[in-house]
């Protein structure tokens, strides 16, 4: 067969891929199945499988499409997807390219809401202590739409209840894809300014899609991170968003938020007046009590005649002084007698005689030691003289004195035998009282040994 009739693997794969791509039934596929082999890749494309009881298909979802999914897919979750089937040319495998995904049964937004709520619960965010809303704020920041009814309701309520507070609007989108980021930026801006007592975040009611920016994790993080107390007023009474759960206070309506953020000035003034009255009455009562105490003390006989107080104490001082003198006299006599007794005992046991006897014994011992040392030294001297005489008798110098000599060569070697000498050799002779330098002329050995 001609080689031109053979196809390459690439050509065949490209042909099959084109068949898939032009097939109208595979261009728009709606599929339901259970997620398998899902491994979440942050900021990347997602690869997993969809399966049922009898089959499985590989799936791929690009990053741009996955970013539109409001919930987090999980292993074993049943979902409904829309996409198209094509062939991946590199390995010749066909797979489903998914464009959108939603849970099969629960709504995607509701599932995402429950997942984020569960996550925050596990992190302990929902159990964090709530900050106290100031009772008498000076400045209140409001994060909401500048064109909605929310700001109007808050302004009306604040003007009626507590008109002295400064209300500052921080306009933000409260609906749409960019709303969450706008709310976060406004919260950060308010905290950076730092001169507000309370923050109100709110919007009117709507569907879960309309309220969704307040269910975003970044909004929850910004509310938790806020150093200023946050009041959340999102939706109606039955609507509960993630922002409501993490806020320091959740109220049903914007009007309720304004009421919780401010006191009623009239009530405050009445309370201040009541406190003034109570303080005035308390001061009068304290003054009257002091007046009664002063009157009571003024009638005291000792305060009228204070010298009487000291009469009793003066007499006590005289008695104590007399007792002190007597006590000192008695104690001094006893101590003198005790010292006399001790002195008598010391005289009886005086160590003077013992010292004299010990001194005599010491002198005797010193004499005996001196005598013994002299005897020992004389004995040593005599012994030393004998040993010196013995050494002197053995000294080579004595031998030289009797006419003997010691012969050595120039190297200092002692020449003992005739064989140690050579003819015409210079020899040093050590004799008594000096040395003699000689030269050998003739050498003869003793044949008799």
């Amino acid at each position: 067969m001609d080689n031109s009739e053979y196809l390459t693997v690439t050509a065949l794969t490209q042909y099959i891929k084109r068949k898939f791509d032009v097939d109208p039934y595979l261009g728009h596929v709606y599929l339901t199945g259970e997620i398998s082999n899902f491994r979440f890749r942050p900021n990347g494309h997602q690869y997993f499988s969809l399966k049922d009881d009898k089959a499985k298909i590989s799936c791929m979802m690009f990053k741009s499409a996955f970013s539109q999914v409001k919930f987090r897919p999980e292993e074993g979750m049943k979902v409904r997807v829309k996409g198209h089937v094509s062939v991946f040319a590199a390995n010749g495998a066909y797979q489903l390219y998914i464009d959108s995904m939603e849970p099969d049964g629960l709504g995607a937004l509701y599932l995402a809401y429950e997942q984020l709520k569960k996550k925050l619960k596990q992190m302990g965010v929902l159990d964090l202590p709530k900050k106290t809303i100031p009772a008498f704020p000076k400045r209140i920041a409001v994060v909401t739409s500048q064109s909605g009814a929310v700001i109007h309701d808050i302004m009306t309520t604040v003007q009626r209840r507590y008109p002295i507070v400064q209300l500052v609007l921080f306009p933000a989108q409260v609906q749409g894809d960019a709303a969450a980021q706008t709310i976060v930026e406004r919260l950060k801006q308010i905290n950076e300014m730092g001169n507000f007592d309370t923050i109100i975040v709110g919007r009117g009611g709507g569907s879960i899609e309309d309220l969704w920016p307040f269910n975003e994790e970044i909004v929850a993080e910004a509310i938790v991170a806020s150093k200023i107390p946050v009041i959340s007023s999102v939706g109606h009474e039955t609507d509960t968003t993630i922002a409501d759960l993490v806020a320091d206070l959740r109220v049903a309506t914007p009007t309720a938020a304004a009421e919780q953020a401010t006191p009623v000035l009239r009530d405050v003034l009445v309370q201040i007046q009541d406190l003034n009255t109570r303080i005035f009455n308390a001061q009068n009562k304290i003054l009257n009590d002091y007046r009664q105490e002063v009157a009571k003390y003024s009638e005291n006989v000792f305060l009228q005649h204070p010298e009487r107080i000291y009469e009793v104490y003066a007499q006590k001082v005289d008695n104590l002084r007399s007792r002190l003198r007597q006590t000192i006299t008695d104690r001094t006599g006893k101590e003198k007698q005790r010292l006399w007794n001790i002195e008598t005992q010391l005289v009886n046991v005086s160590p003077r005689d013992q010292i004299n006897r010990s001194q005599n014994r010491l002198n005797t011992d010193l004499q005996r030691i001196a005598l013994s040392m002299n005897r020992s030294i004389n004995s040593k001297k005599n012994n030393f003289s004998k040993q010196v005489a013995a050494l002197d008798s053995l000294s080579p110098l004595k031998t030289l004195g009797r006419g003997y000599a010691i012969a050595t060569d120039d190297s200092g070697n002692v020449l003992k035998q005739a064989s140690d000498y050579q003819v015409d050799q210079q020899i040093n002779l050590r004799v008594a009282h000096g040395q003699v330098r000689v030269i050998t002329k003739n050498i003869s050995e003793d044949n008799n040994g």
Side-chain angles (χ1 to χ4, degrees):
M1 182 178 290
D2 188 3
N3 288 337
S4 62
E5 296 182 2
Y6 287 88
L7 296 175
T8 63
V9 175
T10 300
L12 178 60
T13 303
Q14 292 292 342
Y15 177 80
I16 297 174
K17 175 177 172 57
R18 178 167 175 77
K19 285 290 186 179
F20 274 76
D21 292 342
V22 299
D23 190 323
Y25 295 103
L26 299 180
H28 299 282
V29 176
Y30 297 84
L31 196 65
T32 180
E34 182 180 314
I35 295 178
S36 176
N37 298 325
F38 181 80
R39 300 292 183 272
F40 176 66
R41 296 175 174 83
N43 301 320
H45 309 315
Q46 306 300 319
Y47 300 89
F48 53 95
S49 301
L50 285 180
K51 68 177 183 178
D52 54 21
D53 295 339
K54 299 180 179 180
K56 178 189 294 187
I57 184 173
S58 298
C59 301
M60 186 267 186
M61 196 169 188
F62 287 106
K63 175 183 175 181
S64 57
F66 187 76
S67 64
Q68 303 300 318
V69 178
K70 299 298 184 182
F71 65 96
R72 172 68 66 82
E74 298 176 354
E75 185 76 11
M77 181 182 293
K78 193 173 183 181
V79 294
R80 292 183 296 179
V81 300
K82 180 177 70 174
H84 65 279
V85 179
S86 184
V87 174
F88 184 56
N91 59 10
Y94 77 92
Q95 58 186 6
L96 177 64
Y97 293 83
I98 299 176
D99 298 324
S100 64
M101 177 190 298
E102 63 181 16
D104 188 7
L106 295 175
L109 295 180
Y110 178 77
L111 180 59
Y113 170 85
E114 290 297 329
Q115 287 180 336
L116 180 56
K117 181 178 177 181
K118 180 180 178 181
K119 177 181 177 181
L120 296 176
K121 180 69 175 178
Q122 292 175 345
M123 294 172 59
V125 174
L126 302 184
D127 298 324
L128 293 175
K130 304 297 185 182
K131 293 183 283 293
T132 303
I133 307 300
F136 304 100
K138 296 179 180 178
R139 304 186 76 204
I140 298 176
V142 181
V143 179
T144 189
S145 173
Q146 62 182 353
S147 60
V150 173
I151 186 61
H152 179 267
D153 293 343
I154 293 176
M155 291 174 60
T156 302
T157 304
V158 170
Q159 184 64 30
R160 170 173 53 83
R161 290 172 56 88
Y162 198 61
I164 62 174
V165 72
Q166 183 180 2
L167 203 64
V168 181
L169 172 64
F170 287 83
Q173 296 184 33
V174 293
Q175 184 173 333
D177 294 337
Q181 186 60 39
T182 305
I183 296 169
V184 170
E185 291 174 355
R186 293 293 176 264
L187 289 172
K188 290 182 178 179
Q189 179 184 359
I190 296 168
N191 275 272
E192 289 174 357
M193 295 175 67
N195 55 353
F196 288 92
D197 301 299
T198 310
I199 302 174
I200 298 177
V201 178
R203 64 150 288 156
S207 64
I208 187 172
E209 290 81 7
D210 296 335
L211 303 179
W212 189 252
F214 297 92
N215 290 321
E216 294 282 1
E217 186 172 0
I218 58 173
V219 174
E221 291 174 349
I223 293 175
V224 172
S226 175
K227 298 179 180 179
I228 303 172
V230 178
I231 300 176
S232 176
S233 172
V234 180
H236 297 303
E237 183 75 30
T238 57
D239 298 322
T240 302
T241 63
I242 297 297
D244 294 331
L245 298 177
V246 299
D248 298 296
L249 179 64
R250 188 257 175 175
V251 294
T253 63
T255 300
E259 292 175 349
Q260 292 293 331
T262 58
V264 178
L265 184 58
R266 187 183 305 105
D267 295 341
V268 174
L269 295 176
V270 172
Q271 185 179 3
I272 292 174
Q273 184 61 38
D274 180 61
L275 290 174
N276 285 334
T277 303
R278 291 171 61 186
I279 292 173
F280 179 77
N281 293 335
Q283 289 178 340
N284 284 338
K285 184 179 182 304
I286 293 173
L287 291 174
N288 290 332
D289 291 341
Y290 282 132
R291 290 191 184 99
Q292 293 176 6
E293 288 290 329
V294 172
K296 177 181 176 181
Y297 289 133
S298 64
E299 296 174 356
N300 191 300
V301 64
F302 290 105
L303 293 178
Q304 293 177 354
H305 302 282
E307 67 277 1
R308 296 183 182 180
I309 300 175
Y310 299 103
E311 291 176 355
V312 178
Y313 290 107
Q315 186 175 359
K316 287 184 177 181
V317 170
D318 289 339
N319 293 335
L320 291 173
R321 186 180 290 112
S322 299
R323 290 173 59 187
L324 179 60
R325 289 197 188 100
Q326 186 62 40
T327 301
I328 292 174
T329 301
D330 296 342
R331 179 64 62 84
T332 303
K334 291 180 180 180
E335 291 298 323
K336 285 182 178 179
Q337 183 63 38
R338 189 173 68 85
L339 290 175
W340 175 260
N341 294 335
I342 293 173
E343 185 177 359
T344 302
Q345 293 176 6
L346 288 176
V347 170
N348 295 331
V349 294
S350 174
R352 186 176 293 108
D353 294 339
Q354 296 180 7
I355 293 174
N356 291 332
R357 289 193 296 269
S358 298
Q359 184 68 43
N360 293 332
R361 286 197 301 269
L362 178 62
N363 292 333
T364 301
D365 291 340
L366 288 175
Q367 293 176 359
R368 292 172 60 190
I369 290 171
L371 181 60
S372 177
M373 288 180 63
N374 289 332
R375 289 176 179 175
S376 177
I377 290 173
N378 292 330
S379 175
K380 297 293 184 183
K381 284 181 178 181
N382 294 330
N383 187 27
F384 179 73
S385 298
K386 293 178 181 181
Q387 291 180 359
V388 167
L391 288 174
D392 184 60
S393 64
L394 298 176
S395 173
L397 297 178
K398 285 285 187 179
T399 304
L400 295 179
R402 293 197 298 269
Y404 290 97
I406 299 174
T408 60
D409 59 15
D410 291 338
S411 298
N413 298 319
V414 178
L415 305 175
K416 299 178 181 179
Q417 301 176 6
S419 61
D420 294 335
Y421 292 86
Q422 297 178 6
V423 179
D424 295 329
Q425 179 182 6
Q426 293 186 359
I427 299 172
N428 296 319
L429 293 179
R430 174 67 178 179
V431 297
H433 308 298
Q435 292 184 358
V436 178
R437 183 78 166 173
V438 298
I439 298 176
T440 59
K441 293 300 184 177
N442 186 26
I443 299 170
S444 63
E445 295 185 4
D446 187 359
N447 294 328
N448 295 327

